[in-house]
Short mmCIF file of all heavy atoms in Angstrom, two decimals:
data_model
loop_
_atom_site.label_atom_id
_atom_site.label_comp_id
_atom_site.label_asym_id
_atom_site.label_seq_id
_atom_site.Cartn_x
_atom_site.Cartn_y
_atom_site.Cartn_z
N VAL B 49 -124.55 -55.66 -84.92
CA VAL B 49 -124.86 -57.08 -84.81
C VAL B 49 -125.86 -57.30 -83.67
O VAL B 49 -126.82 -58.07 -83.81
CB VAL B 49 -123.58 -57.91 -84.59
CG1 VAL B 49 -123.90 -59.34 -84.22
CG2 VAL B 49 -122.71 -57.86 -85.83
N GLY B 50 -125.68 -56.62 -82.57
CA GLY B 50 -126.60 -56.76 -81.44
C GLY B 50 -128.00 -56.27 -81.76
O GLY B 50 -128.99 -56.82 -81.28
N ALA B 51 -128.10 -55.24 -82.60
CA ALA B 51 -129.42 -54.74 -82.98
C ALA B 51 -130.15 -55.75 -83.86
O ALA B 51 -131.37 -55.92 -83.74
CB ALA B 51 -129.29 -53.41 -83.71
N VAL B 52 -129.41 -56.43 -84.72
CA VAL B 52 -130.04 -57.44 -85.59
C VAL B 52 -130.40 -58.68 -84.79
O VAL B 52 -131.52 -59.19 -84.88
CB VAL B 52 -129.10 -57.79 -86.76
CG1 VAL B 52 -129.63 -58.97 -87.55
CG2 VAL B 52 -128.93 -56.59 -87.68
N VAL B 53 -129.46 -59.17 -83.98
CA VAL B 53 -129.68 -60.39 -83.21
C VAL B 53 -130.71 -60.16 -82.11
O VAL B 53 -131.53 -61.03 -81.82
CB VAL B 53 -128.34 -60.91 -82.63
CG1 VAL B 53 -128.56 -62.07 -81.68
CG2 VAL B 53 -127.41 -61.31 -83.75
N GLY B 54 -130.67 -58.99 -81.50
CA GLY B 54 -131.57 -58.69 -80.38
C GLY B 54 -132.89 -58.08 -80.80
O GLY B 54 -133.58 -57.50 -79.97
N PHE B 55 -133.22 -58.17 -82.09
CA PHE B 55 -134.49 -57.66 -82.61
C PHE B 55 -134.69 -56.19 -82.30
O PHE B 55 -135.79 -55.75 -81.95
CB PHE B 55 -135.67 -58.49 -82.08
CG PHE B 55 -135.57 -59.95 -82.43
CD1 PHE B 55 -135.27 -60.87 -81.44
CD2 PHE B 55 -135.75 -60.38 -83.72
CE1 PHE B 55 -135.16 -62.21 -81.75
CE2 PHE B 55 -135.64 -61.73 -84.04
CZ PHE B 55 -135.35 -62.65 -83.05
N GLY B 56 -133.61 -55.40 -82.39
CA GLY B 56 -133.72 -53.96 -82.23
C GLY B 56 -133.56 -53.45 -80.82
O GLY B 56 -133.65 -52.24 -80.59
N SER B 57 -133.31 -54.33 -79.86
CA SER B 57 -133.21 -53.87 -78.48
C SER B 57 -131.99 -52.97 -78.27
O SER B 57 -132.06 -52.00 -77.52
CB SER B 57 -133.17 -55.05 -77.51
OG SER B 57 -132.05 -55.87 -77.78
N LEU B 58 -130.87 -53.27 -78.93
CA LEU B 58 -129.70 -52.40 -78.79
C LEU B 58 -129.92 -51.06 -79.48
O LEU B 58 -129.34 -50.06 -79.08
CB LEU B 58 -128.44 -53.07 -79.34
CG LEU B 58 -127.70 -53.98 -78.38
CD1 LEU B 58 -126.41 -54.49 -78.99
CD2 LEU B 58 -127.41 -53.30 -77.08
N PHE B 59 -130.75 -51.03 -80.49
CA PHE B 59 -131.09 -49.76 -81.11
C PHE B 59 -131.83 -48.86 -80.13
O PHE B 59 -131.57 -47.66 -80.04
CB PHE B 59 -131.92 -49.98 -82.38
CG PHE B 59 -132.28 -48.71 -83.09
CD1 PHE B 59 -131.31 -47.97 -83.75
CD2 PHE B 59 -133.58 -48.24 -83.07
CE1 PHE B 59 -131.64 -46.79 -84.39
CE2 PHE B 59 -133.92 -47.06 -83.71
CZ PHE B 59 -132.94 -46.33 -84.38
N LEU B 60 -132.72 -49.44 -79.35
CA LEU B 60 -133.43 -48.67 -78.33
C LEU B 60 -132.48 -48.20 -77.23
O LEU B 60 -132.59 -47.07 -76.74
CB LEU B 60 -134.56 -49.51 -77.72
CG LEU B 60 -135.71 -49.84 -78.67
CD1 LEU B 60 -136.70 -50.79 -78.00
CD2 LEU B 60 -136.40 -48.58 -79.13
N ILE B 61 -131.54 -49.05 -76.86
CA ILE B 61 -130.54 -48.66 -75.86
C ILE B 61 -129.68 -47.52 -76.40
O ILE B 61 -129.36 -46.57 -75.69
CB ILE B 61 -129.69 -49.88 -75.45
CG1 ILE B 61 -130.55 -50.87 -74.67
CG2 ILE B 61 -128.47 -49.47 -74.64
CD1 ILE B 61 -129.89 -52.19 -74.40
N TYR B 62 -129.31 -47.61 -77.69
CA TYR B 62 -128.54 -46.54 -78.33
C TYR B 62 -129.30 -45.22 -78.25
O TYR B 62 -128.73 -44.18 -77.89
CB TYR B 62 -128.27 -46.92 -79.79
CG TYR B 62 -127.43 -45.92 -80.54
CD1 TYR B 62 -126.06 -46.10 -80.65
CD2 TYR B 62 -127.99 -44.80 -81.17
CE1 TYR B 62 -125.27 -45.20 -81.34
CE2 TYR B 62 -127.21 -43.89 -81.85
CZ TYR B 62 -125.85 -44.10 -81.94
OH TYR B 62 -125.09 -43.20 -82.62
N LEU B 63 -130.58 -45.25 -78.57
CA LEU B 63 -131.39 -44.03 -78.52
C LEU B 63 -131.48 -43.47 -77.10
O LEU B 63 -131.42 -42.25 -76.90
CB LEU B 63 -132.79 -44.29 -79.08
CG LEU B 63 -132.88 -44.53 -80.58
CD1 LEU B 63 -134.31 -44.87 -80.97
CD2 LEU B 63 -132.38 -43.33 -81.36
#
Side-chain angles (χ1 to χ4, degrees):
V49 170
V52 171
V53 173
F55 302 108
S57 60
L58 274 185
F59 181 71
L60 294 174
I61 292 171
Y62 183 95
L63 290 176

